[in-house]
């Protein structure tokens, strides 16, 4: 019986792939070339070529409610936006809870994935694996392959005129760990996405000055919005996604400019707002405000001791940090298996190559959205394994290719061919579509008739992943209670002392007394005036 699966990479995508293979009675083996699971979240003090890397101070920019795996919520005591080390602790707890660890083979690098000779009949793959400890290479045969190698390990450094003449230091944010070594320096960060903003803000507290260069501009969003509520509790709701697109963009524009006018801070793009260019940062606006950081236009060219921007402004800098994203590569696959051009992988629904005779290879994690990524990876894994098992009927190869081309054209129409957006999907539209094909999309009409308060929570509360565990394959009995307790879990970490017990006592009495007094005076004046008139004309 065909049931063996090769999972490549043990980051978030690989972990979810292993778990959901087991849920569908498939037998996964996950190969990871690093020393432990976690992928990007397996932090090291020194970056390594060919491996994902993050900086020491990195904190998640999506909240625990929307970022958790659907059948394993974060502990209620966890902070809403946690340090990367705590998130890795959560990943390990998930692995232990579902007994996944025996499925991972560490220090194993997948060298090549090729079709077996009988692929047309069986769909099987020949996987060449190298044991990095022993230096031994072996071939394995698998019925299915799930590629989860990520896309944050091959830095992208776009060329600029004069770079070879620059006398300072050039690096990528992939190699940034801490501010040490930047003290007193004049620093330029090219790129103003989440990583660029984090690096620029942290360095600006120690450098002589930091410049941030951006081609398109951005809108800055804090981790919390009105009343200190996590941003994704407000902007990731079914009620919000049900609105017409123009109204969603209008509301988003108002939210993005509620803390500061992005235009006045030199941040906002110079084209109509589409809701795509958003950078999550609690500090960027403050660093601009105190003069430690300046936002500049795109770099035109490098010179020996600095750069010249498109607007003609010249600055001298000592260090240039490229926060310009990553290339998409699958070094173990040749183009005949998976085509990638202009950072666009030719995949149906960001998951399946559509030109093979057998659908036995899928990709998890090659997707981006204005949302948390782990729930996307989890739903992709659930969808792919059900495709492998034959539970989901696919369109013809020609239809899948047409859908891919249409999606590609839509992205290019909205945001152009800029590499930052080549993986972009509409979050709710994407997960709702996948959940529908899996069979785990909740029936809101049935819930409305059965339980109005719970329906209200589903529609007007944050779109938490547990919504995809209420019904269908993979149904989890704890999903409903987890959804109901989101508010409690959100505020519990902040309840470190009794606060505000008497803060409103008497606060509104002066307003009440004043209002009553004004009403009495107006009544007396009205009575006096109209009373005099009546007596006069009488």
């Amino acid at each position: 019986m065909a049931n063996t699966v090769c999972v490549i990479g043990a980051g978030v995508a690989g972990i979810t792939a292993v778990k959901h293979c087991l849920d569908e009675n498939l037998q996964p083996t996950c190969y990871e070339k690093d020393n432990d699971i976690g992928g990007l979240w397996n932090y090291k003090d020194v970056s390594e070529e060919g491996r994902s890397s993050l900086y020491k101070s990195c904190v998640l920019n999506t909240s625990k409610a929307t970022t958790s795996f659907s059948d394993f919520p974060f502990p209620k005591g966890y902070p809403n936006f946690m340090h990367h080390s705590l998130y890795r602790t959560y990943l390990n707890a998930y692995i232990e809870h579902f007994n996944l660890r025996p499925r991972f083979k560490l220090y194993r690098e997948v060298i090549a994935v090729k079709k077996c000779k009988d692929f047309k009949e069986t769909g099987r793959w020949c996987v060449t694996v190298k044991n990095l400890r022993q230096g031994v290479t072996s071939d394995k045969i698998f019925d299915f392959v799930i590629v989860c190698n990520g896309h944050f390990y091959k830095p992208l450094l776009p060329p600029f005129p004069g770079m070879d003449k620059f006398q300072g230091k050039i690096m990528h944010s992939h190699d940034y760990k801490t501010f040490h070594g930047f003290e007193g320096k004049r620093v330029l960060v090219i790129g103003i996405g989440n990583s660029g903003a984090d690096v620029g803000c942290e360095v600006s507290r120690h450098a002589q000055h930091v410049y941030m260069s951006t081609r398109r501009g951005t809108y800055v969003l804090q981790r919390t919005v009105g009343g200190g509520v996590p941003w994704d509790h407000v902007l990731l709701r079914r009620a919000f996604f049900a609105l017409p697109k123009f109204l969603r963009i209008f509301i988003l524009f108002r939210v993005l400019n509620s803390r500061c006018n992005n235009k006045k801070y030199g941040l906002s793009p110079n084209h109509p707002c589409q809701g795509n260019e958003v950078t999550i940062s609690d500090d960027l606006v403050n660093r601009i405000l105190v003069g430690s950081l300046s936002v500049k236009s795109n770099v035109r060219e490098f010179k020996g001791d600095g750069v010249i921007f498109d607007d003609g402004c010249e600055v001298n800098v000592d260090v240039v940090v490229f926060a310009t994203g990553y290339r998409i590569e699958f070094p173990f696959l040749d183009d005949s298996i998976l085509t990638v051009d202009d950072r666009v992988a030719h995949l149906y629904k960001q998951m399946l190559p559509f030109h093979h005779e057998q659908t036995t290879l899928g990709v998890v994690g090659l997707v981006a959205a204005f949302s948390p990524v782990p729930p996307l990876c989890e739903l992709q894994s659930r969808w792919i394994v059900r495709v492998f098992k034959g539970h989901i009927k696919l369109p013809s190869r020609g239809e899948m290719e047409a859908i891919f081309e249409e999606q590609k054209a839509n992205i290019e129409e909205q945001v152009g061919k800029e590499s930052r957006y080549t993986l972009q999907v509409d979050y709710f539209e994407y997960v709702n579509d996948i959940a529908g094909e899996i069979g785990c999309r909740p029936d809101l009409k049935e819930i409305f008739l059965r339980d109005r308060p719970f329906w209200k929570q589903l529609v007007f509360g944050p779109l938490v992943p547990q919504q995809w565990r209420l019904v269908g394959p993979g149904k989890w009995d704890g999903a409903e209670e987890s959804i109901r307790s989101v508010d409690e879990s959100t505020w519990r970490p902040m309840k470190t002392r009794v606060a505000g017990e008497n803060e409103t006592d008497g606060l509104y009495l002066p307003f009440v007394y004043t209002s009553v007094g004004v009403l009495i005076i107006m009544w007396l004046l009205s009575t006096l005036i109209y009373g005099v008139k009546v007596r006069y004309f009488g």
Side-chain angles (χ1 to χ4, degrees), residues 373-434:
V373 173
L376 289 172
C377 294
E378 186 180 34
L379 275 173
Q380 285 186 327
S381 296
R382 294 175 68 183
W383 186 86
I384 283 176
V385 296
R386 290 187 64 76
V387 168
F388 289 170
K389 292 285 287 186
H391 299 316
I392 294 176
K393 184 179 180 181
L394 297 173
S396 67
R397 281 184 276 174
E399 290 172 319
M400 287 192 285
E401 183 174 5
I403 291 171
F404 160 76
E405 293 293 346
E406 181 181 2
Q407 179 186 355
K408 181 182 176 183
N410 288 338
I411 293 175
E412 291 180 357
E413 181 181 354
Q414 293 181 26
V415 297
K417 295 184 179 181
E418 188 172 351
S419 61
R420 181 180 175 183
Y421 305 104
T422 54
L423 305 180
Q424 199 81 10
V425 296
D426 181 287
Y427 178 61
F428 180 71
E429 181 180 306
Y430 188 74
V431 297
N432 205 45
D433 173 52
I434 294 175

Side-chain angles (χ1 to χ4, degrees), residues 174-189:
H174 176 271
D175 299 315
Y176 176 84
K177 292 296 178 178
T178 72
F179 64 85
H180 295 297
F182 289 85
E183 294 92 339
K185 304 286 188 180
R186 296 162 299 180
V187 181
L188 168 64
V189 179

Side-chain angles (χ1 to χ4, degrees), residues 17 100 106 120 149 169 200 229 240 281 308 320 351 361 370 375 378 396 401 408 412 424 434-435 487 489 531:
L100 307 180
L106 304 178
K120 289 185 179 181
N149 66 317
K169 179 181 179 180
V229 179
F240 179 71
S281 173
I308 304 173
V320 178
M351 292 182 279
L361 182 144
F370 183 46
E378 186 180 34
S396 67
E401 183 174 5
K408 181 182 176 183
E412 291 180 357
Q424 199 81 10
I434 294 175
D487 196 58
S489 178

Side-chain angles (χ1 to χ4, degrees), residues 96-329:
E96 297 302 328
H97 180 77
F98 292 107
N99 193 29
L100 307 180
R101 198 167 296 277
R103 298 291 176 168
F104 295 96
K105 306 297 180 183
L106 304 178
Y107 296 103
R108 304 295 201 281
E109 182 178 5
V110 173
I111 303 299
V113 176
K114 299 180 179 180
K115 295 178 179 179
C116 292
K117 293 181 179 180
D118 59 354
F119 180 83
K120 289 185 179 181
E121 293 75 34
T122 66
R124 295 190 305 173
W125 299 90
C126 179
V127 180
T128 304
V129 182
K130 182 177 182 180
N131 185 321
L132 298 179
R133 279 179 167 170
Q134 301 174 358
V136 177
T137 300
S138 59
D139 291 331
K140 311 285 185 180
I141 303 297
F142 289 93
D143 299 302
F144 305 101
V145 172
I146 303 180
V147 178
C148 307
N149 66 317
H151 54 95
F152 294 116
Y153 64 90
K154 190 71 173 180
L156 173 65
L157 272 81
F160 287 93
M163 281 180 63
D164 57 329
K165 301 176 183 178
F166 180 62
Q167 299 168 4
K169 179 181 179 180
I170 294 178
M171 61 181 292
H172 192 275
S173 58
H174 176 271
D175 299 315
Y176 176 84
K177 292 296 178 178
T178 72
F179 64 85
H180 295 297
F182 289 85
E183 294 92 339
K185 304 286 188 180
R186 296 162 299 180
V187 181
L188 168 64
V189 179
I190 299 179
I192 201 169
N194 295 330
S195 296
D198 284 350
V199 171
C201 289
E202 182 170 88
V203 169
S204 72
R205 295 183 178 276
H206 308 276
Q208 178 180 328
H209 194 76
V210 172
Y211 303 93
M212 294 198 71
S213 170
T214 173
R215 283 189 295 176
R216 295 173 63 93
T218 192
Y219 296 100
V220 175
L221 177 66
Q222 282 186 292
R223 284 182 173 84
T224 60
V225 291
V229 179
W231 72 267
D232 46 8
H233 287 217
V234 176
L235 295 177
L236 301 184
R237 303 184 184 189
R238 287 180 178 274
F240 179 71
F241 290 116
L243 298 172
K245 184 177 180 180
F246 78 91
L247 190 53
R248 277 186 281 148
I249 292 175
F250 175 78
I251 293 172
L252 179 60
F253 180 80
R254 301 298 298 177
V255 171
L256 294 173
N257 285 285
S258 61
R259 181 191 177 197
C260 76
N261 186 320
N262 283 269
K263 177 181 178 180
K264 291 183 177 179
Y265 279 75
L267 289 163
S268 57
N270 291 310
H271 55 77
C273 177
Q274 293 293 324
N276 296 304
E277 296 97 340
V278 179
T279 297
I280 299 174
S281 173
D282 296 324
D283 209 22
L284 182 55
V285 168
N286 292 333
R287 304 316 297 163
I288 296 171
L289 193 63
V290 301
S292 298
L293 187 152
S294 304
V295 180
K296 308 295 289 184
S297 60
N298 192 38
V299 172
R300 180 196 300 169
E301 63 179 296
F302 280 67
K303 57 179 186 174
D305 58 355
V307 297
I308 304 173
F309 297 102
D310 278 347
D311 58 7
C313 175
E314 298 184 25
V315 298
N316 295 333
V317 294
D318 304 302
V319 184
V320 178
V321 181
F322 279 79
T324 45
Y326 295 82
R327 299 183 184 278
I328 297 174
E329 289 188 356

